[in-house]
Amino acid sequence: MNLLAMLAAVAVQTAVTNGVGARWFEDRMPARDGVKLYTFGAVPEAGVKCPIVIQRNPYVKEERIDGVPFASRQQQTLKRGYAYVIQHVRGAGVSEGRRVPYEHEREDGLALLEYVRRLPWYNGEIYLSGGSYLSSVHWSYLDTNPPDVKGAALAIQDVNRYNICYRNGFKKWHLHGSWFMKEYAKNDHSVTRNPRVKFADFPLADFTRRLFGHPVEAYDNTLCHPRPDDPFWTSDAPGSGAGYRHALNRSTMPVLLKTAFYDIYTEGICDMWREIPSARRANCALLIDAYDHGGKLAPAMKGTLGEFPGGSRADENVGDLDWFDAIRAGTACAGAPANRTRYYALWENAWHEEPALTDGSRRVAFTLGEGVRAYTYDPKRSLPDFPGSGALGFGSMQVQPEPNFRDDVVSFVLPPLTERIDVRGRMTARLTVASDCEDTCFCIVVSVKKPDGRWYLLREDITSIGFQHAAYTPGEKVALDFRCADHAFRLEKGDQLRVDVASGNNDFAPHGNVKGEQALVREPKVAHNRVFAAESSLTLFALEK
């Protein structure tokens, strides 16, 4: 059956609950290769034409949508003049096909646009909505710049696949690891998973074979390309994500970007904003709030942020429909000004607007102390667990353990601050280190002690000697540079900063202390590492006094 015949068979269903009528349809839209994708819509009264908001979702149950409650929940969307269409992505929910994250999203998304254009309610306007992977499905085809896609509200999703997979050569095993493995072939019950397989097992390159019993090309391809300048990341190879990279630059519709200072994609989304030409920013906006990737306020943050909404991102005053309404009316969107970055500074408890979030002009540097701190790093031992994540993984801001909480973690507690500091941008650190191995890694975790006596996570970063110094001689003293994700927060007089240094972090795959591609290391070594405190520092970028 061709697409037009399928559309002719779409039937609208109606129900009345407490005097309110709900209208919806459900269908199995044929993708371009014939795979049927489950598609559901809440629609207006017969004869009404209106803009249509579309969303494509992998995080759905293997069951049809219950039409009455779903359509009833969309009453406000309909009252504001929009129809709403949602589709289960390939291999998820009750859509056919095998789910391989990021594959097929471009052609399936374009097929959905074609489908929506033939719906009887279509008025020539389509709007895109989504967060995280639900944004990524739209980024996959945005470079085609469909003329009837009049606007998009795309939250918490970076378009740089390297950032999604790696940090300075370290595989993000919670992000493009456990998430990918959960999503891959999720509805194909013939695919089994070996529960004994762990990301910490060596070699990492064999991971999918150990887990599934067969290789997964889209994942395996990423494992041996740990450097951002590797040609793989601009190639057409499965897993590279090259088609997503410049989607924002190559489109023209107004786009609202949303992220949070404890989102997993904070830095990448800020980089997206900095990279697009000023002319492209003219009809776009960036909103950065204080939530985490899931749109929640971490328990450690509740009660510390003044007037900031305390529940979820749903409390924010800029919703997708607000952005779409402003586009349709040709007016400014309150709370998301075009060509501006609006962000919430933690502990200052205030919103700010700038063309872009940039590093503060005042450098405030701290030496880590005196002497030499030594520790042993064993890659086969469980990695240190620093609760939460400083914008590189899941978990948001969390309270940290007391200093030196493990024998393979060294903590540098700085003296109480003597002034108020309003920090802006990407703090940096430099560690002077040495190791008895030909390569090893170091991570930093920066936290702040507030008057309540608890240590609050600020930021983290990780790198290796080999990533920055290709020809390292064991025992040699070298400097390693770190640059953390964007942030905005206030430090008060009396606050204390702390820098934890380790050679492992539970957000990343372990380093084998062997020179070469880490995914290929089969026999890791134990490293004895040293940090030279007087030659190591933390630098904040602050607003002028």
Side-chain angles (χ1 to χ4, degrees):
M1 184 179 293
N2 63 32
L3 180 59
L4 289 176
M6 287 289 293
L7 284 168
V10 170
V12 174
Q13 301 180 63
T14 303
V16 177
T17 304
N18 297 326
V20 177
R23 287 166 47 85
W24 71 93
F25 76 92
E26 62 178 342
D27 197 6
R28 296 182 184 274
M29 184 204 85
R32 291 175 175 179
D33 60 357
V35 169
K36 304 295 193 305
L37 303 180
Y38 182 73
T39 307
F40 190 98
V43 299
E45 295 297 325
V48 173
K49 290 187 178 292
C50 62
I52 300 175
V53 177
I54 65 173
Q55 190 171 90
R56 305 188 64 244
N57 194 347
Y59 306 122
V60 286
K61 297 179 179 179
E62 292 184 59
E63 57 187 41
R64 293 167 52 196
I65 294 173
D66 189 339
V68 174
F70 181 91
S72 298
R73 288 194 300 271
Q74 298 303 321
Q75 286 303 308
Q76 290 304 313
T77 301
L78 294 168
K79 287 180 181 178
R80 290 179 67 164
Y82 301 86
Y84 181 82
V85 173
I86 186 171
Q87 184 176 81
H88 293 184
V89 305
R90 180 182 297 246
V94 291
S95 285
E96 296 177 350
R98 171 174 284 191
R99 171 139 167 77
V100 181
Y102 301 107
E103 288 195 3
H104 301 292
E105 302 302 4
R106 181 182 179 90
E107 57 264 37
D108 290 351
L110 291 172
L112 179 58
L113 293 181
E114 295 171 3
Y115 177 92
V116 166
R117 290 174 184 131
R118 293 178 172 88
L119 291 174
W121 312 282
Y122 170 73
N123 76 338
E125 299 176 62
I126 299 174
Y127 293 89
L128 311 179
S129 174
S132 193
Y133 194 85
L134 282 69
S135 286
S136 201
V137 295
H138 298 314
W139 287 124
S140 69
Y141 61 80
L142 212 65
D143 64 331
T144 67
N145 209 27
D148 55 351
V149 175
K150 303 301 183 181
L154 303 177
I156 54 176
Q157 180 65 52
D158 192 353
V159 294
N160 186 336
R161 189 70 57 77
Y162 178 84
N163 293 342
I164 295 173
C165 295
Y166 283 98
R167 178 67 174 186
N168 298 330
F170 284 84
K171 191 69 175 176
K172 295 180 176 179
W173 67 3
H174 286 162
L175 178 54
H176 203 261
S178 56
W179 170 85
F180 188 103
M181 297 310 149
K182 179 181 177 182
E183 289 297 307
Y184 171 73
K186 63 191 299 181
N187 286 4
D188 186 345
H189 301 295
S190 68
V191 175
T192 59
R193 292 164 168 79
N194 185 342
R196 295 186 298 275
V197 174
K198 298 180 176 59
F199 279 98
D201 297 339
F202 291 87
L204 183 59
D206 290 344
F207 179 79
T208 59
R209 294 172 180 83
R210 294 194 303 267
L211 182 66
F212 298 116
H214 65 262
V216 179
E217 184 182 25
Y219 189 81
D220 295 344
N221 279 356
T222 69
L223 292 175
C224 292
H225 301 284
R227 301 195 69 93
D229 56 355
D230 190 306
F232 167 78
W233 300 107
T234 55
S235 74
D236 294 329
S240 72
Y244 292 64
R245 186 70 178 88
H246 300 290
L248 185 57
N249 289 8
R250 294 172 181 168
S251 59
T252 59
M253 77 285 291
V255 178
L256 172 62
L257 298 174
K258 293 183 182 181
T259 186
F261 282 126
Y262 284 87
D263 180 26
I264 59 181
Y265 296 127
T266 308
E267 186 174 45
I269 294 173
C270 288
D271 282 344
M272 288 169 61
W273 183 259
R274 285 187 284 261
E275 289 172 2
I276 61 176
S278 58
R280 180 67 184 98
R281 290 185 197 168
N283 64 353
C284 298
L286 171 59
L287 181 66
I288 311 174
D289 60 37
Y291 295 122
D292 65 8
H293 186 72
K296 299 294 184 181
L297 202 62
M301 298 167 74
K302 292 180 179 178
T304 71
L305 298 182
E307 298 302 318
F308 193 81
S312 68
R313 187 167 285 123
D315 297 326
E316 246 312 311
N317 60 354
V318 183
D320 293 359
L321 296 183
D322 299 321
W323 180 250
F324 302 153
D325 282 348
I327 294 170
R328 302 194 73 213
T331 59
C333 179
N339 204 18
R340 308 286 281 181
T341 297
R342 186 167 184 257
Y343 62 90
Y344 189 86
L346 277 66
W347 294 300
E348 181 189 357
N349 304 328
W351 289 96
H352 296 270
E353 292 179 9
E354 310 287 347
L357 179 58
T358 58
D359 292 344
S361 59
R362 183 165 70 101
R363 294 170 59 93
V364 184
F366 306 90
T367 301
L368 296 193
E370 299 291 339
V372 180
R373 300 289 299 277
Y375 63 93
T376 299
Y377 163 51
D378 181 353
K380 291 189 175 181
R381 182 184 176 188
S382 63
L383 295 175
D385 186 6
F386 296 94
S389 172
L392 296 179
F394 294 106
S396 185
M397 176 195 284
Q398 300 292 340
V399 173
Q400 298 302 292
E402 288 303 304
N404 304 301
F405 64 96
R406 284 178 39 144
D407 59 15
D408 55 357
V409 175
V410 294
S411 301
F412 299 92
V413 179
L414 305 183
L417 296 175
T418 59
E419 62 171 330
R420 170 184 286 178
I421 303 174
D422 284 310
V423 178
R424 295 291 186 275
R426 292 166 288 180
M427 71 176 77
T428 64
R430 168 167 285 190
L431 297 183
T432 299
V433 301
S435 177
D436 64 350
C437 286
E438 59 185 358
D439 193 11
T440 189
C441 69
F442 292 85
C443 70
I444 62 167
V445 177
V446 183
S447 56
V448 59
K449 190 177 189 178
K450 286 292 184 177
D452 62 7
R454 300 194 292 178
W455 292 99
Y456 292 95
L457 176 63
L458 291 173
R459 283 294 180 257
E460 63 184 340
D461 201 7
I462 191 167
T463 191
S464 65
I465 291 178
F467 193 79
Q468 297 191 22
H469 303 278
Y472 179 71
T473 301
E476 180 185 1
K477 186 190 295 187
V478 293
L480 295 180
D481 291 314
F482 301 81
R483 188 167 178 82
C484 299
D486 304 76
H487 211 335
F489 57 92
R490 170 170 287 180
L491 297 173
E492 297 286 0
K493 181 179 179 180
D495 288 351
Q496 281 186 279
L497 292 169
R498 164 180 149 197
V499 180
D500 290 321
V501 178
S503 289
N505 184 327
N506 208 33
D507 284 335
F508 308 98
H511 193 286
N513 298 325
V514 177
K515 189 174 183 178
E517 299 292 351
Q518 292 306 301
L520 303 179
V521 173
R522 292 185 176 274
E523 295 297 332
K525 298 179 179 179
V526 174
H528 300 90
N529 296 335
R530 292 179 290 162
V531 180
F532 300 84
E535 300 171 63
S536 301
S537 62
L538 173 71
T539 299
L540 308 179
F541 299 93
L543 300 180
E544 296 295 335
K545 296 181 181 180

